[in-house]
Amino acid sequence: MGPLLGLAKAFCGPALARSGTLTRLQTWVRPLPTRLYHLDGCNQDVLAIAQCLSKEGSNVVVMTGAGVSTPSGIPDFRTPGSGIYDNLKQYRLPYPEAIFDISYFRQSPDAFNTWAKEFFPGLRYHPNLAHFFIKLLHDKGKLVRLYTQNIDGLEVLTGLPHEQVVHAHGSFNSASCAACGQDADLDEYKQSILLNQNPRCACSEKAPIKPDIVFFGENLPDRFQMFQEDTAFSDFLICMGTSLEVYPFAGIADAVPRKVPRLLINRTLVGSFGSREEDCLLLGDLVEQVIQLCRALGWEQDLFDLKNAYDKEKQAGQ
Ligand code: OAD
C-alpha cells in the first residue's frame, strides 16, 4: 500500500478499509456525532481567518455542496421545509433519497425525470457570488482544486477551467442507459426530458436513460481519487454549503492533515468541524459571509468585478 493511500485509509475509515477503494457513494453514520463538536472550538474572527488564508493558503482545496447554489435559486436537499427531500410527496417515494437511487430509478424513472426537467443545467440558473469566490481563488493562484457534489454546472459557468473542478457526483454533460451503459445522444435526451417523456434505450431491457450523475449505489468518477494527493499537499481547506452527510465525499474534510486550517462557511456546524485546533467557521448566509471574507482579504472589488462581467456578457448574449 502506498503512503498516500495508507494516510487516506487512516482518515477515511471503513469505506477504504473494507473495499480498498473509494468508489461507492454511500450514506454513513458519522464517526462521531456532531453535537460533540462546538462552535467555540472554531476561530470565527473573519480578519484572523483572512490573514491566515492570505498567508498560508497557497494550496487551497475547496469542497462544496448544494448550499452554494441556493442563492442561485436551486433548493438544497436537507434544509427542513425548502430542501428537495421535504418536497417529494407527490412522487410517493418509498423514502426521499430513492429519487437518486439507481435501483429505484431503473424501475420508476418518473420522479427523477420530473426533477431533471426543472433543474436541467444551463436553462435558467446562474452562478452567484459564492461561485465567483472560488473563481477568484483560482485567479489569485490559490486554488488547487474544487471538489463539488453539485450537478448544476454553475462552477464552470464562472470560467473556472474544467481541470480545476472534480464533479464528484457526476454531471449532466453526458447520458447513458441505466442498464447496458450505452452512451445516449445528449441533445435527444434533453429534448425528451423537456417534453415530459421518459427516454429509454433501444437495448433488450429498454432501460431508462439517465444523465451521468452518480446515483446512490453507483461508483464515483475516477477523478475523485485525486483528493488523496490534493489534500495531502494542501495548506488550507474551505468547505461551503454542505451537510457533509454523504460519503465518501464528506471524507475529504477529514483527509487534510491536522495542522491544515479548515474553514467552514455554512448555516450550521457540520461534520467534524470544531474538533481540530485550526478549525475556522463563518456561520450564516454563504453569500454574506463570502463578501465579508473578501472584504477582509481586500478582494471585494475583484469579486464584484467577476460577477458584473458575467452579468454583462449574459445580457449582451440575450
Ligand atoms: P444538503 O442539503 O444536505 O446540505 C446543504 C447545506 O448547505 C446545509 O448544511 C444548509 O444549512 C447549507 N445551506 C443551504 N443554503 C445555504 C446558504 N444560503 N448559506 C449558508 N448555508 C446554506 O446538500 P449536500 O450536502 O450537497 O447526492 O448533499 C449531499 C448529497 O446528498 C447531494 O450531492 C445529493 C444528496 O443526496 C445525490 O443525490 C447523489
Side-chain angles (χ1 to χ4, degrees):
M1 187 200 318
L4 283 180
L5 187 56
L7 193 71
K9 280 192 176 184
F11 282 106
C12 298
L16 282 162
R18 207 174 46 214
S19 64
T21 173
L22 261 176
T23 48
R24 257 175 99 76
L25 181 70
Q26 299 182 6
T27 30
W28 290 79
V29 177
R30 279 193 291 270
L32 284 169
T34 304
R35 66 177 176 278
L36 286 185
Y37 305 132
H38 300 287
L39 303 181
D40 312 348
C42 297
N43 176 2
Q44 298 185 61
D45 176 350
V46 69
L47 286 174
I49 294 169
Q51 203 178 14
C52 179
L53 177 57
S54 43
K55 195 175 65 177
E56 306 281 349
S58 47
N59 296 299
V60 182
V61 170
V62 178
M63 54 192 296
T64 57
V68 167
S69 296
T70 60
S72 298
I74 303 175
D76 67 8
F77 294 90
R78 296 179 179 82
T79 292
S82 63
I84 289 167
Y85 291 148
D86 260 7
N87 290 284
L88 296 172
K89 288 193 182 72
Q90 74 268 32
Y91 300 119
R92 298 170 187 273
L93 297 163
Y95 56 97
E97 287 176 344
I99 192 170
F100 299 112
D101 183 288
I102 190 62
S103 310
Y104 184 81
F105 176 79
R106 287 190 183 119
Q107 304 299 322
S108 315
D110 309 45
F112 173 80
N113 287 347
T114 309
W115 176 86
K117 180 184 176 188
E118 171 71 17
F119 296 107
F120 214 105
L123 292 180
R124 47 182 157 123
Y125 298 103
H126 298 288
N128 62 65
L129 287 172
H131 297 106
F132 285 105
F133 170 59
I134 303 166
K135 173 66 164 52
L136 196 53
L137 284 169
H138 166 71
D139 292 350
K140 301 279 182 191
K142 287 181 171 290
L143 182 72
V144 171
R145 203 100 51 203
L146 164 65
Y147 289 82
T148 181
Q149 297 166 99
N150 298 345
I151 50 178
D152 53 39
L154 296 186
E155 315 79 10
V156 287
L157 289 186
T158 64
L160 195 61
H162 284 274
E163 63 271 18
Q164 293 289 107
V165 186
V166 172
H167 290 103
H169 293 175
S171 76
F172 273 86
N173 292 339
S174 56
S176 54
C177 172
C180 73
Q182 173 75 40
D183 286 344
D185 183 286
L186 188 62
D187 287 335
E188 278 176 25
Y189 167 75
K190 187 171 167 179
Q191 283 316 312
S192 304
I193 290 293
L194 296 181
L195 292 169
N196 296 320
Q197 295 163 348
N198 285 333
R200 289 187 177 269
C201 183
C203 70
S204 59
E205 292 194 42
K206 301 271 179 292
I209 292 172
K210 66 178 268 293
D212 292 334
I213 64 174
V214 181
F215 277 34
F216 290 103
E218 291 192 301
N219 292 341
L220 269 68
D222 291 345
R223 287 187 86 231
F224 178 74
Q225 294 300 327
M226 291 197 297
F227 91 92
Q228 298 188 39
E229 201 156 332
D230 285 348
T231 51
F233 296 106
S234 63
D235 48 32
F236 204 96
L237 175 119
I238 302 177
C239 176
M240 306 199 280
T242 172
S243 60
L244 291 181
E245 290 276 338
V246 172
Y247 279 73
F249 184 88
I252 296 174
D254 295 317
V256 293
R258 290 193 77 80
K259 64 174 182 357
V260 170
R262 305 186 304 173
L263 167 62
L264 173 69
I265 312 178
N266 211 43
R267 258 197 207 117
T268 51
L269 188 63
V270 295
S272 64
F273 279 88
S275 68
R276 295 185 181 185
E277 213 173 300
E278 303 297 332
D279 282 350
C280 309
L281 175 67
L282 293 175
L283 200 64
D285 178 72
L286 247 154
V287 166
E288 281 172 23
Q289 296 304 323
V290 157
I291 293 172
Q292 278 206 40
L293 178 61
C294 285
R295 190 172 299 148
L297 284 159
W299 296 359
E300 193 180 6
Q301 191 57 50
D302 298 336
L303 181 71
F304 281 97
D305 284 351
L306 281 179
K307 172 87 168 72
N308 292 340
Y310 175 91
D311 290 344
K312 226 172 168 179
E313 205 172 300
K314 199 85 216 147
Q315 264 175 355
Q318 276 168 0

Short mmCIF file of all heavy atoms in Angstrom, two decimals, residues 222-252:
data_model
loop_
_atom_site.label_atom_id
_atom_site.label_comp_id
_atom_site.label_asym_id
_atom_site.label_seq_id
_atom_site.Cartn_x
_atom_site.Cartn_y
_atom_site.Cartn_z
N ASP A 222 -13.51 8.35 -11.53
CA ASP A 222 -12.12 8.09 -11.14
C ASP A 222 -11.41 9.35 -10.65
O ASP A 222 -10.58 9.29 -9.76
CB ASP A 222 -11.32 7.52 -12.33
CG ASP A 222 -11.79 6.12 -12.68
OD1 ASP A 222 -12.50 5.51 -11.85
OD2 ASP A 222 -11.49 5.66 -13.80
N ARG A 223 -11.75 10.49 -11.24
CA ARG A 223 -11.05 11.73 -10.87
C ARG A 223 -11.23 12.08 -9.39
O ARG A 223 -10.45 12.84 -8.83
CB ARG A 223 -11.56 12.92 -11.72
CG ARG A 223 -11.09 12.89 -13.14
CD ARG A 223 -11.49 14.16 -13.87
NE ARG A 223 -10.52 15.23 -13.71
CZ ARG A 223 -10.83 16.46 -13.32
NH1 ARG A 223 -12.07 16.78 -13.06
NH2 ARG A 223 -9.89 17.37 -13.20
N PHE A 224 -12.27 11.54 -8.78
CA PHE A 224 -12.48 11.81 -7.35
C PHE A 224 -11.25 11.41 -6.54
O PHE A 224 -10.92 12.03 -5.53
CB PHE A 224 -13.74 11.09 -6.85
CG PHE A 224 -13.98 11.29 -5.38
CD1 PHE A 224 -14.45 12.52 -4.90
CD2 PHE A 224 -13.71 10.29 -4.46
CE1 PHE A 224 -14.64 12.72 -3.53
CE2 PHE A 224 -13.91 10.49 -3.10
CZ PHE A 224 -14.38 11.70 -2.64
N GLN A 225 -10.57 10.36 -6.99
CA GLN A 225 -9.40 9.87 -6.26
C GLN A 225 -8.30 10.91 -6.11
O GLN A 225 -7.43 10.77 -5.24
CB GLN A 225 -8.82 8.64 -6.98
CG GLN A 225 -9.75 7.43 -6.98
CD GLN A 225 -10.07 6.98 -5.55
OE1 GLN A 225 -9.24 7.08 -4.67
NE2 GLN A 225 -11.28 6.49 -5.34
N MET A 226 -8.32 11.95 -6.94
CA MET A 226 -7.29 12.99 -6.85
C MET A 226 -7.29 13.67 -5.48
O MET A 226 -6.32 14.30 -5.09
CB MET A 226 -7.48 14.04 -7.94
CG MET A 226 -7.20 13.51 -9.34
SD MET A 226 -6.95 14.82 -10.54
CE MET A 226 -8.52 15.63 -10.53
N PHE A 227 -8.41 13.52 -4.75
CA PHE A 227 -8.49 14.20 -3.45
C PHE A 227 -7.40 13.73 -2.51
O PHE A 227 -6.93 14.47 -1.64
CB PHE A 227 -9.88 14.01 -2.82
CG PHE A 227 -10.00 12.80 -1.93
CD1 PHE A 227 -9.76 12.88 -0.57
CD2 PHE A 227 -10.32 11.56 -2.47
CE1 PHE A 227 -9.86 11.76 0.25
CE2 PHE A 227 -10.42 10.45 -1.67
CZ PHE A 227 -10.18 10.54 -0.31
N GLN A 228 -6.96 12.47 -2.71
CA GLN A 228 -5.95 11.93 -1.77
C GLN A 228 -4.66 12.74 -1.87
O GLN A 228 -4.08 13.14 -0.85
CB GLN A 228 -5.70 10.46 -2.07
CG GLN A 228 -6.95 9.62 -1.89
CD GLN A 228 -6.68 8.13 -1.99
OE1 GLN A 228 -5.66 7.65 -1.52
NE2 GLN A 228 -7.58 7.40 -2.61
N GLU A 229 -4.22 12.97 -3.10
CA GLU A 229 -2.99 13.74 -3.29
C GLU A 229 -3.22 15.23 -3.00
O GLU A 229 -2.40 15.87 -2.34
CB GLU A 229 -2.49 13.55 -4.71
CG GLU A 229 -1.02 13.86 -4.83
CD GLU A 229 -0.39 13.15 -6.02
OE1 GLU A 229 -0.89 12.07 -6.42
OE2 GLU A 229 0.57 13.69 -6.54
N ASP A 230 -4.34 15.76 -3.50
CA ASP A 230 -4.61 17.19 -3.31
C ASP A 230 -4.65 17.55 -1.82
O ASP A 230 -4.12 18.58 -1.41
CB ASP A 230 -5.95 17.58 -3.96
CG ASP A 230 -5.84 17.66 -5.48
OD1 ASP A 230 -4.71 17.65 -6.01
OD2 ASP A 230 -6.90 17.74 -6.13
N THR A 231 -5.31 16.72 -1.02
CA THR A 231 -5.41 17.05 0.41
C THR A 231 -4.07 16.87 1.12
O THR A 231 -3.72 17.64 2.00
CB THR A 231 -6.49 16.21 1.13
OG1 THR A 231 -6.25 14.83 0.83
CG2 THR A 231 -7.88 16.59 0.71
N ALA A 232 -3.31 15.86 0.69
CA ALA A 232 -2.01 15.61 1.34
C ALA A 232 -1.08 16.81 1.19
O ALA A 232 -0.28 17.10 2.07
CB ALA A 232 -1.37 14.36 0.76
N PHE A 233 -1.22 17.53 0.06
CA PHE A 233 -0.32 18.66 -0.19
C PHE A 233 -1.01 20.02 -0.01
O PHE A 233 -0.47 21.05 -0.40
CB PHE A 233 0.30 18.55 -1.59
CG PHE A 233 1.17 17.33 -1.72
CD1 PHE A 233 0.74 16.23 -2.45
CD2 PHE A 233 2.39 17.27 -1.06
CE1 PHE A 233 1.53 15.09 -2.54
CE2 PHE A 233 3.19 16.13 -1.14
CZ PHE A 233 2.76 15.04 -1.88
N SER A 234 -2.19 20.01 0.59
CA SER A 234 -2.92 21.28 0.76
C SER A 234 -2.40 22.02 1.99
O SER A 234 -1.82 21.42 2.90
CB SER A 234 -4.41 20.99 0.93
OG SER A 234 -4.61 20.25 2.11
N ASP A 235 -2.62 23.35 2.01
CA ASP A 235 -2.32 24.07 3.25
C ASP A 235 -3.52 24.87 3.75
O ASP A 235 -3.42 25.62 4.71
CB ASP A 235 -1.08 24.97 3.09
CG ASP A 235 -1.14 25.82 1.84
OD1 ASP A 235 -2.25 26.19 1.44
OD2 ASP A 235 -0.07 26.10 1.26
N PHE A 236 -4.69 24.69 3.11
CA PHE A 236 -5.92 25.33 3.58
C PHE A 236 -7.09 24.60 2.93
O PHE A 236 -7.02 24.24 1.74
CB PHE A 236 -5.93 26.82 3.16
CG PHE A 236 -6.80 27.69 4.01
CD1 PHE A 236 -6.25 28.41 5.07
CD2 PHE A 236 -8.16 27.81 3.78
CE1 PHE A 236 -7.05 29.23 5.87
CE2 PHE A 236 -8.96 28.61 4.57
CZ PHE A 236 -8.39 29.33 5.62
N LEU A 237 -8.14 24.37 3.69
CA LEU A 237 -9.34 23.73 3.13
C LEU A 237 -10.54 24.63 3.39
O LEU A 237 -10.70 25.14 4.50
CB LEU A 237 -9.57 22.36 3.74
CG LEU A 237 -10.88 21.68 3.27
CD1 LEU A 237 -10.60 20.37 2.54
CD2 LEU A 237 -11.85 21.43 4.41
N ILE A 238 -11.37 24.83 2.36
CA ILE A 238 -12.62 25.57 2.54
C ILE A 238 -13.78 24.66 2.18
O ILE A 238 -13.80 24.07 1.09
CB ILE A 238 -12.65 26.85 1.65
CG1 ILE A 238 -11.46 27.76 1.96
CG2 ILE A 238 -13.97 27.61 1.86
CD1 ILE A 238 -11.38 29.01 1.09
N CYS A 239 -14.72 24.56 3.10
CA CYS A 239 -15.89 23.71 2.90
C CYS A 239 -17.12 24.61 2.94
O CYS A 239 -17.31 25.36 3.90
CB CYS A 239 -15.92 22.68 4.03
SG CYS A 239 -17.35 21.60 4.00
N MET A 240 -17.95 24.56 1.89
CA MET A 240 -19.07 25.50 1.82
C MET A 240 -20.38 24.82 1.43
O MET A 240 -20.40 24.03 0.47
CB MET A 240 -18.82 26.58 0.75
CG MET A 240 -17.53 27.32 0.87
SD MET A 240 -17.60 28.87 -0.07
CE MET A 240 -17.30 28.32 -1.71
N GLY A 241 -21.44 25.13 2.15
CA GLY A 241 -22.79 24.76 1.71
C GLY A 241 -23.05 23.28 1.58
O GLY A 241 -23.73 22.85 0.65
N THR A 242 -22.55 22.50 2.52
CA THR A 242 -22.86 21.07 2.50
C THR A 242 -23.14 20.58 3.92
O THR A 242 -22.57 21.10 4.88
CB THR A 242 -21.73 20.24 1.87
OG1 THR A 242 -22.02 18.85 2.05
CG2 THR A 242 -20.37 20.53 2.46
N SER A 243 -24.02 19.57 4.02
CA SER A 243 -24.31 18.98 5.32
C SER A 243 -23.26 17.93 5.69
O SER A 243 -23.28 17.41 6.80
CB SER A 243 -25.70 18.34 5.30
OG SER A 243 -25.72 17.33 4.30
N LEU A 244 -22.37 17.60 4.78
CA LEU A 244 -21.37 16.53 4.96
C LEU A 244 -22.03 15.22 5.42
O LEU A 244 -21.51 14.51 6.25
CB LEU A 244 -20.28 16.96 5.95
CG LEU A 244 -19.34 18.06 5.48
CD1 LEU A 244 -18.29 18.39 6.54
CD2 LEU A 244 -18.62 17.67 4.18
N GLU A 245 -23.20 14.94 4.85
CA GLU A 245 -23.94 13.73 5.22
C GLU A 245 -23.58 12.56 4.32
O GLU A 245 -23.92 11.43 4.62
CB GLU A 245 -25.45 13.98 5.09
CG GLU A 245 -26.04 14.92 6.11
CD GLU A 245 -26.38 14.21 7.41
OE1 GLU A 245 -26.55 12.99 7.39
OE2 GLU A 245 -26.45 14.92 8.44
N VAL A 246 -23.00 12.84 3.16
CA VAL A 246 -22.84 11.78 2.17
C VAL A 246 -21.35 11.46 1.96
O VAL A 246 -20.54 12.35 1.72
CB VAL A 246 -23.51 12.18 0.83
CG1 VAL A 246 -23.18 11.20 -0.28
CG2 VAL A 246 -25.03 12.25 1.02
N TYR A 247 -21.05 10.17 2.10
CA TYR A 247 -19.67 9.69 1.92
C TYR A 247 -19.57 8.93 0.62
O TYR A 247 -20.57 8.45 0.12
CB TYR A 247 -19.30 8.76 3.09
CG TYR A 247 -18.88 9.52 4.32
CD1 TYR A 247 -19.82 10.19 5.08
CD2 TYR A 247 -17.55 9.59 4.70
CE1 TYR A 247 -19.45 10.90 6.20
CE2 TYR A 247 -17.16 10.30 5.82
CZ TYR A 247 -18.12 10.95 6.57
OH TYR A 247 -17.73 11.67 7.67
N PRO A 248 -18.41 8.86 -0.01
CA PRO A 248 -17.10 9.25 0.52
C PRO A 248 -16.77 10.73 0.41
O PRO A 248 -15.75 11.16 0.94
CB PRO A 248 -16.14 8.43 -0.32
CG PRO A 248 -16.84 8.22 -1.62
CD PRO A 248 -18.30 8.12 -1.29
N PHE A 249 -17.62 11.54 -0.24
CA PHE A 249 -17.27 12.95 -0.43
C PHE A 249 -16.91 13.63 0.90
O PHE A 249 -15.90 14.34 0.99
CB PHE A 249 -18.44 13.70 -1.09
CG PHE A 249 -18.12 15.13 -1.41
CD1 PHE A 249 -17.53 15.47 -2.61
CD2 PHE A 249 -18.36 16.14 -0.48
CE1 PHE A 249 -17.20 16.79 -2.90
CE2 PHE A 249 -18.03 17.46 -0.75
CZ PHE A 249 -17.45 17.78 -1.96
N ALA A 250 -17.75 13.40 1.92
CA ALA A 250 -17.54 14.11 3.20
C ALA A 250 -16.17 13.81 3.80
O ALA A 250 -15.63 14.62 4.56
CB ALA A 250 -18.65 13.73 4.18
N GLY A 251 -15.59 12.68 3.44
CA GLY A 251 -14.28 12.29 3.97
C GLY A 251 -13.15 13.23 3.57
O GLY A 251 -12.09 13.24 4.21
N ILE A 252 -13.36 14.05 2.53
CA ILE A 252 -12.31 14.99 2.10
C ILE A 252 -11.95 15.93 3.26
O ILE A 252 -10.78 16.24 3.48
CB ILE A 252 -12.78 15.81 0.87
CG1 ILE A 252 -13.01 14.90 -0.34
CG2 ILE A 252 -11.75 16.89 0.53
CD1 ILE A 252 -13.61 15.63 -1.54
#
